[in-house]
Amino acid sequence: MMPRATCYYSYCSSTRGMLFLHSTCLVALLHSQSSNPTKSRETLLVRDRPSKPRVSNVENALKVFDEMLQRRPLPSVVRFNQLLGQLARLKQYSAVISLNRKLSLLGIASDVYTLSIIINCYCHLNQMGFSLSLLAQFFKLGLQPNVTTFNTLINGFVLQNRVPEAARLFSKMVGGGHCQPDVFTFNTLIKGFCMTGNNSAAMQLFRKMEERGCEPDIVSYSTIIDSLCKDTLVDQALNLFTEMIGRGIAPNVVTYTSLIQGVCNIGQWKEATRLLNEMASQYIFPNVHTFNVLVDALCKEGMVVEAKTVVDMMIQRHIEPDTITYSSLMDGYCLRGEMDEAKQVFDLMVSKGSMVNVQCCSILINGYCKGKKIHEAKKVFDEMHIMGLVPNTVTYNTLIDGFCKVGRLQEAEKLFFEMQGCGQLPDVQTYAIILDALCSNQQLPKAIELLREMKDKKLELNIVVYTIIIEGLLKAGKIESAIEVFSGLSSKVVQPNVRTYSIMIKGLCNGGLLVEAEQLFREMGEKGCSADGGIYNTIIRGFINNNEASRAMGLIQEMVERGFSADASTVELIVNLLSEDRVDPALLPLLKSSR
């Protein structure tokens, strides 16, 4: 868990001097006794005690293991546990399980720690079934699972995003009464709830900690604060932060970074500045992640100059910007259409060696595509292969969309087939991009064929795809087919959105089906989809174009009362009607007030 790791690092830094002092005293003590040639029996016993086996790789571990098996008498299970534990820390989980099987065949019985190590290995190999089966082996061997055993299993479920099963195991642990959860148990499950966005469950568990005599620590608080901030529940996060301070738990850089990200996401720049100043006053210095949060937030607000200033500040403080820093800055320039500056950042990353990844390239390609600079986008795409980078689905989608937007549909389709040949499977968005281009270019038969392909591949069709098809059918004058597709959405459990309704209403109006258009308009609210200003303008123009000015006037009044305004196209139509004396002049002041 990131907060735990950061907190541990902070602790080591703050106590390094203390540890050095202790080691100096110990050395002095040993030197003061070295003049005495007589060694106590206890000192000799310590020297003769077998040292802990140390391994640095699998080959070394296997060699040490074989050597241990040659000893007589055989080393105790404790020594083998030390070896297995080190091998597990090297992430050689399969090797650990294999060696443990050999120990069992040799009659060396596992203890609680052995089984906990093996459970941990199965968890990391995503084999939770085997991990759980080892609980039965505890009782078979007459052993009692301890808190470490349960913590390992709960963490395994959380790592696989199987939080409900982690929660059930936690309840079994508490209900059994054999061992009590510790702060790590609570923190692991709290992290799981937060990962799934279940802040209420996380808070309930957090409050239960004290009831069970377990004091929350910095990790407990920081995990929930981070989750609340990600869900823009910043006030709740700040309240929890105040509670933490009141209990004498000092925040660390992780806590402050989460809060800064939270306030930046809702545009509270003054609060972000206050938190940064508060950090400095407590000698808690921002790390690269803190700076990345600031750079990303500023760039998303279009404040790229300020973001660049933050990057320069990082460099002055000898904090090296990483791939995330430069990617955010590059994305900021792309959003503003400042592609020369974005390319300069990209070239800087290339010059620094291995900083460029697939996401960086996708950002730059997207920037060029948005600016209709498709040649430059394709050039970056081709350079990815030279850099040893494999474009992913997002990269392909971006470039395919770029080709479609400039009308180069054949090249987009060629790229579509190429990505499949390279092992990158198109997703729903890929198909939606191609479908939209085909429908916009009056190639409805090919679009219908592609839709069938999606169904054959069992892709889940969403409202975006259906809306594209409905619009394509309406543009081709196939109103009945469009109505049929729209009517079938409910049976497919797909909810139309405002855009879907707007397209259908426009199509019905264009076909002179005004009664059906108004009926659909009224139906929206009943189906939980509120009309916006855009859809009001759509139906008003539909009525005016069909010589139903009086009905349009009623809708205009309704639109203004709901706080929406007429757009330029609607105003132009109404002004024309006024000039022809076809509508009441009293409508003009109403239009002005709406603007």
Side-chain angles (χ1 to χ4, degrees):
M1 184 184 288
M2 184 180 170
R4 175 173 291 276
T6 307
C7 186
Y8 176 75
Y9 175 81
S10 181
Y11 172 80
C12 290
S13 301
S14 62
T15 57
R16 191 172 294 157
M18 189 189 301
L19 291 172
F20 179 76
L21 178 63
H22 283 303
S23 62
T24 306
C25 293
L26 183 61
V27 170
L29 182 64
L30 289 172
H31 275 293
S32 68
Q33 294 177 340
S34 62
S35 58
N36 186 353
T38 307
K39 293 182 175 65
S40 67
R41 185 171 181 273
E42 183 179 348
T43 306
L44 288 169
L45 283 172
V46 169
R47 169 170 282 189
D48 292 341
R49 189 179 298 157
S51 61
K52 178 180 177 180
R54 296 189 180 279
V55 297
S56 55
N57 53 54
V58 182
E59 292 75 19
N60 183 216
L62 294 173
K63 183 180 178 183
V64 171
F65 183 80
D66 289 337
E67 287 174 357
M68 290 172 73
L69 292 180
Q70 301 303 317
R71 295 178 192 168
R72 291 295 179 272
L74 283 170
S76 70
V77 70
V78 174
R79 292 292 166 196
F80 285 108
N81 286 347
Q82 290 170 344
L83 177 66
L84 296 178
Q86 288 185 68
L87 201 51
R89 281 190 286 277
L90 292 172
K91 300 182 180 180
Q92 301 297 326
Y93 307 118
S94 297
V96 172
I97 293 166
S98 176
L99 293 182
N100 182 62
R101 287 198 188 109
K102 287 187 179 180
L103 292 177
S104 298
L105 292 172
L106 289 168
I108 300 173
S110 299
D111 64 8
V112 172
Y113 298 102
T114 320
L115 293 177
S116 294
I117 291 167
I118 303 304
I119 285 173
N120 182 50
C121 290
Y122 277 125
C123 286
H124 280 93
L125 291 170
N126 299 329
Q127 296 180 16
M128 293 305 299
F130 286 111
S131 295
L132 285 171
S133 67
L134 285 171
L135 274 180
Q137 198 169 335
F138 271 89
F139 302 111
K140 184 180 177 182
L141 295 170
L143 302 171
Q144 183 63 50
N146 60 18
V147 68
T148 303
T149 312
F150 280 104
N151 286 350
T152 304
L153 280 166
I154 289 168
N155 190 52
F157 280 124
V158 169
L159 287 174
Q160 291 186 42
N161 204 25
R162 294 165 66 178
V163 180
E165 289 160 280
R168 282 196 291 273
L169 190 60
F170 176 85
S171 299
K172 183 178 179 181
M173 174 187 183
V174 173
H178 302 299
C179 62
Q180 291 302 311
D182 60 12
V183 69
F184 184 82
T185 325
F186 280 103
N187 287 347
T188 302
L189 193 51
I190 285 170
K191 182 179 84 168
F193 285 134
C194 289
M195 278 168 52
T196 56
N198 195 346
N199 290 321
S200 59
M203 281 301 299
Q204 284 176 20
L205 188 63
F206 177 79
R207 296 304 177 197
K208 281 183 182 176
M209 288 181 75
E210 286 186 286
E211 292 175 18
R212 303 198 67 86
C214 188
E215 289 287 331
D217 62 5
I218 182 63
V219 179
S220 320
Y221 277 101
S222 294
T223 303
I224 298 182
I225 285 170
D226 182 64
S227 184
L228 290 169
C229 286
K230 281 177 176 152
D231 287 346
T232 66
L233 301 170
V234 178
D235 288 340
Q236 291 182 41
L238 288 168
N239 289 338
L240 201 60
F241 179 75
T242 303
E243 177 190 311
M244 183 182 79
I245 301 291
R247 297 184 63 167
I249 299 173
N252 59 20
V253 67
V254 176
T255 326
Y256 274 111
T257 299
S258 296
L259 285 170
I260 289 167
Q261 183 164 27
V263 296
C264 283
N265 287 344
I266 57 174
Q268 293 185 3
W269 300 105
K270 286 184 180 178
E271 184 65 14
T273 305
R274 185 192 69 77
L275 287 166
L276 280 167
N277 290 334
E278 190 178 294
M279 282 180 75
S281 69
Q282 296 186 44
Y283 300 100
I284 299 171
F285 300 105
N287 59 18
V288 67
H289 183 56
T290 318
F291 281 111
N292 285 348
V293 163
L294 288 168
V295 171
D296 185 59
L298 288 166
C299 286
K300 282 175 178 171
E301 290 290 323
M303 302 162 69
V304 188
V305 175
E306 291 82 354
K308 179 65 168 62
T309 303
V310 173
V311 175
D312 292 339
M313 190 189 302
M314 289 177 71
I315 296 166
Q316 287 168 12
R317 293 190 179 195
H318 305 291
I319 298 172
E320 188 64 30
D322 61 11
T323 301
I324 296 171
T325 322
Y326 286 122
S327 294
S328 296
L329 188 61
M330 186 168 58
D331 195 35
Y333 283 126
C334 288
L335 289 171
R336 290 171 59 90
E338 298 173 355
M339 293 311 300
D340 289 342
E341 289 80 358
K343 185 62 165 62
Q344 284 175 16
V345 175
F346 183 81
D347 290 341
L348 176 63
M349 293 174 75
V350 172
S351 70
K352 287 180 175 288
S354 59
M355 290 193 80
V356 175
N357 59 20
V358 174
Q359 187 184 3
C360 303
C361 297
S362 297
I363 289 169
L364 191 61
I365 289 168
N366 185 54
Y368 280 130
C369 288
K370 292 285 187 252
K372 303 287 193 293
K373 297 181 177 180
I374 198 70
H375 175 74
E376 288 84 348
K378 184 63 166 65
K379 187 179 177 183
V380 175
F381 180 84
D382 293 337
E383 286 173 356
M384 289 180 71
H385 299 283
I386 299 168
M387 291 187 281
L389 298 172
V390 179
N392 59 19
T393 304
V394 174
T395 320
Y396 276 105
N397 287 353
T398 305
L399 192 56
I400 288 169
D401 188 52
F403 277 123
C404 289
K405 290 289 193 295
V406 295
R408 292 163 66 172
L409 190 51
Q410 282 188 334
E411 286 163 280
E413 289 182 285
K414 181 182 175 184
L415 206 57
F416 176 73
F417 292 116
E418 180 189 306
M419 73 181 289
Q420 296 174 74
C422 294
Q424 293 295 331
L425 294 178
D427 58 13
V428 173
Q429 188 180 353
T430 323
Y431 279 99
I433 291 165
I434 300 288
L435 282 171
D436 188 47
L438 290 170
C439 289
S440 298
N441 286 274
Q442 292 79 48
Q443 296 186 37
L444 188 60
K446 286 184 73 174
I448 299 298
E449 187 182 327
L450 197 62
L451 188 68
R452 288 198 190 98
E453 183 182 313
M454 292 179 73
K455 289 178 179 177
D456 291 342
K457 290 186 175 181
K458 309 296 183 188
L459 285 171
E460 189 174 340
L461 307 187
N462 57 25
I463 192 57
V464 175
V465 172
Y466 282 113
T467 302
I468 289 167
I469 293 298
I470 288 168
E471 187 172 26
L473 289 167
L474 290 169
K475 282 180 178 177
K478 299 180 180 293
I479 296 178
E480 288 185 8
S481 297
I483 292 170
E484 187 181 338
V485 173
F486 182 85
S487 301
L489 292 178
S490 56
S491 64
K492 296 178 176 66
V493 200
V494 178
Q495 183 66 36
N497 56 25
V498 174
R499 176 166 167 74
T500 319
Y501 277 108
S502 183
I503 286 167
M504 272 302 299
I505 289 167
K506 183 181 178 181
L508 291 170
C509 288
N510 288 345
L513 302 172
L514 300 183
V515 174
E516 290 83 352
E518 189 167 11
Q519 186 180 343
L520 197 60
F521 177 75
R522 299 302 175 194
E523 181 188 291
M524 285 181 66
E526 297 170 12
K527 295 288 180 70
C529 185
S530 299
D532 61 9
I535 205 162
Y536 267 104
N537 279 278
T538 297
I539 194 166
I540 288 166
R541 286 196 298 270
F543 279 133
I544 292 173
N545 289 329
N546 280 276
N547 298 315
E548 292 286 349
S550 59
R551 291 169 72 181
M553 283 181 65
L555 283 167
I556 290 169
Q557 190 165 355
E558 181 184 319
M559 176 179 71
V560 173
E561 286 171 359
R562 291 194 59 183
F564 302 121
S565 58
D567 61 22
S569 299
T570 308
V571 170
E572 185 181 353
L573 285 175
I574 294 168
V575 169
N576 290 338
L577 291 174
L578 285 166
S579 66
E580 297 170 6
D581 292 327
R582 291 174 58 192
V583 292
D584 189 344
L587 186 63
L588 192 58
L590 195 63
L591 282 175
K592 287 180 179 177
S593 66
S594 79
R595 300 183 78 190

